[in-house]
Amino acid sequence: MAEALNITSKPIEVEGSILSASYNQHGNLLACCTADGLIRVYTNEKGEDLALRVTIKAGVPTGEGEFRLAWAHPEFGNVLAASFGGQALGVWEELPGQDGPEWRRAALLSDSRAAVRDVSFVPKDFGLQLAAAFADGTARIYEPLAPFGAEEWALVSTLRAVSDAACTCLAWQRPPANGPLPLLAAGGSKGGVAVWRRVEAVMDWHHCTTFAAGATAGVSCMHWAPALGRPQELLAVGSASAVEVWSLTGTADSSMQAEMVARLDAGASVWKVEWNMLGTALAVSTEAREVLIFTPTLLGEFNLTAKFAGDAAMAPGAAMDH
């Protein structure tokens, strides 16, 4: 059993429950959204404690969907997407101003009648595109009309991602440089994961496989491991208090076969899973305010090698981190 390590850091003073939090890929900007409909962006560019950079009024959550945040890759500037509990999602960007950087809402996307369940930017090699999962089982892809900048976004593709269930989360594969379009995994509220690939030649989506991950508990989160020469793809799937690791083999152009190679007990509801850059460690955050680190052996077995415990003084259920 791994020893629990206590995390000591200066807490951020925020009024209200935190519904979602997300770092950008450089790790120097942290966005948090709270139940009062505000998004606060913090910065630690000088290596000091996090300092409030801007407060954005996004909208009061309605309770119909999920409040989720996602950063675009920094090469597109500071661009932040958010769903705020209803049918719409917004895109904000930071622009230079006379008195310093200014944030403005670049787009409000409200073409769907279903509630938003997740937001995720497409890998940067394929341009500035935003994907969103909806409660009617669809996934929609948006992109700005201008080749540069984040203004005037438009719907460019709609996919029936899962059948007879809400689409709860999306995960983009990390493709190799100059490789084909990445795989898109879509999780369902009744369990099950569908894997798709966009085929630009026919402007349509190719269904690669569907497998019964998450049983009937529903899928809460997913993350692809980097391939790095591995003969198969690995996808971590969070469901209830467990994490399933699935191996996918075959070619995405025809069909793929999925096999569960590990089922890891997290001890509490799983909020987020993420592989490291080498695919040699899997981090799992849970409702118990713990981060568990699992590492695979040469035989493919996963061992719990570290456990980070948050502030025990915080009341359970007071915040949610996606």
Side-chain angles (χ1 to χ4, degrees):
M1 179 66 67
E3 180 181 357
L5 304 176
N6 190 55
I7 300 174
T8 57
S9 61
K10 184 177 180 180
I12 301 173
E13 298 295 335
V14 178
E15 295 182 3
S17 298
I18 296 177
L19 303 180
S20 183
S22 178
Y23 270 103
N24 70 345
Q25 293 197 32
H26 285 171
N28 60 348
L29 291 175
L30 171 65
C32 299
C33 59
T34 50
D36 55 6
L38 297 179
I39 300 174
R40 296 173 176 86
V41 178
Y42 299 86
T43 180
N44 62 347
E45 293 179 349
K46 297 181 180 180
E48 302 173 352
D49 293 332
L50 290 169
L52 182 63
R53 186 185 186 101
V54 67
T55 298
I56 301 170
K57 187 175 182 180
V60 178
T62 65
E64 299 176 0
E66 299 286 342
F67 207 141
R68 296 292 178 92
L69 298 169
W71 288 95
H73 192 275
E75 77 173 31
F76 300 111
N78 292 330
V79 179
L80 178 67
S83 64
F84 30 92
Q87 301 169 353
L89 58 150
V91 180
W92 286 264
E93 66 173 339
E94 187 182 60
L95 298 173
Q98 293 183 350
D99 300 323
E102 299 177 352
W103 285 78
R104 71 173 188 89
R105 191 175 71 185
L108 179 64
L109 308 173
S110 57
D111 54 289
S112 174
R113 296 182 179 180
V116 183
R117 301 297 298 271
D118 194 17
V119 291
S120 175
F121 280 95
V122 178
K124 69 178 183 65
D125 294 340
F126 304 96
L128 181 59
Q129 294 186 331
L130 175 66
F134 291 88
D136 60 0
T138 62
R140 297 177 176 226
I141 312 295
Y142 303 87
E143 68 178 9
L145 298 179
F148 302 99
E151 300 181 9
E152 299 184 34
W153 289 65
L155 176 67
V156 295
S157 180
T158 301
L159 166 68
R160 173 62 64 178
V162 297
S163 301
D164 302 322
C167 185
T168 55
C169 55
L170 301 172
W172 291 97
Q173 176 201 33
R174 305 182 195 180
N178 301 318
L181 288 174
L183 297 173
L184 172 64
S189 59
K190 298 179 181 179
V193 172
V195 178
W196 301 83
R197 169 164 280 164
R198 176 77 171 170
V199 182
E200 291 298 326
V202 294
M203 298 296 291
D204 202 358
W205 291 86
H206 170 69
H207 177 246
C208 301
T209 187
T210 296
F211 52 94
T216 59
V219 177
S220 59
C221 53
M222 299 179 294
H223 197 253
W224 292 93
L228 297 179
R230 190 184 297 111
Q232 75 277 5
E233 301 288 348
L234 291 180
L235 178 67
V237 179
S239 176
S241 60
V243 177
E244 300 172 0
V245 180
W246 287 79
S247 170
L248 286 85
T249 56
T251 61
D253 295 332
S254 55
S255 62
M256 304 185 75
Q257 294 75 45
E259 177 187 5
M260 186 170 65
V261 296
R263 191 175 192 275
L264 313 174
D265 182 13
S269 296
V270 176
W271 282 348
K272 188 173 183 178
V273 294
E274 187 166 335
W275 297 90
N276 67 352
M277 294 183 65
L278 298 177
T280 56
L282 175 64
V284 180
S285 66
T286 72
E287 190 177 20
R289 284 182 175 76
E290 293 179 334
V291 176
L292 313 177
I293 307 297
F294 294 91
T295 55
T297 66
L298 294 177
L299 299 178
E301 299 176 350
F302 283 77
N303 294 326
L304 177 61
T305 54
K307 179 189 294 186
F308 300 91
D311 189 351
M314 295 179 63
M320 181 176 295
D321 181 11
H322 290 292

